[in-house]
Amino acid sequence: MKLKVEEIKHMILRSQDLVQIIDEKLEYSGPAFMIPWKFMGRTAKSFRAEVETRRKDWRKAGTWAPMNPEAAVHLELKDVVQRLYYVITLE
């Protein structure tokens, strides 16, 4: 069963959930309530959850930047930060 982005948004996601929309490349990254209207009628090829784990001091350590550095932290350990992103790949 194929779902449209709008159906996924209303049936599965909460407004504060972090979402990435991919259409050959990353098109949107941010909270679910701000998904641009141009994606709402598009059909999703896949939908998955990805956990991002990064060092808190990623800039100083010279490691990769988080997918969305401004997003709120969901879980903190001593030296790491984890965030859950829902990734929607479009057909």
Side-chain angles (χ1 to χ4, degrees):
M1 180 174 150
K2 302 268 182 167
L3 294 174
K4 304 261 186 225
V5 172
E6 186 171 20
E7 293 170 323
I8 292 171
K9 179 183 174 187
H10 293 296
M11 293 178 0
I12 300 170
L13 300 173
R14 295 171 297 158
S15 62
Q16 72 273 17
D17 287 339
L18 297 174
V19 176
Q20 289 190 328
I21 296 178
I22 299 173
D23 185 16
E24 294 188 27
K25 63 180 177 53
L26 180 64
E27 296 288 339
Y28 171 75
S29 182
F33 75 89
M34 292 185 64
I35 294 174
W37 281 103
K38 67 181 182 178
F39 299 118
M40 293 300 182
R42 300 282 305 274
T43 302
K45 179 169 56 174
S46 69
F47 176 77
R48 68 184 186 280
E50 286 188 5
V51 175
E52 174 193 68
T53 303
R54 295 279 188 235
R55 292 176 60 140
K56 287 186 204 177
D57 62 346
W58 61 271
R59 281 190 177 94
K60 188 175 8 171
T63 59
W64 289 350
M67 288 188 259
N68 188 352
E70 294 78 29
V73 176
H74 285 295
L75 174 66
E76 287 190 35
L77 302 173
K78 185 174 186 297
D79 293 321
V80 297
V81 176
Q82 288 188 327
R83 294 186 188 110
L84 177 64
Y85 284 85
Y86 293 100
V87 180
I88 301 170
T89 305
L90 302 175
E91 286 191 332

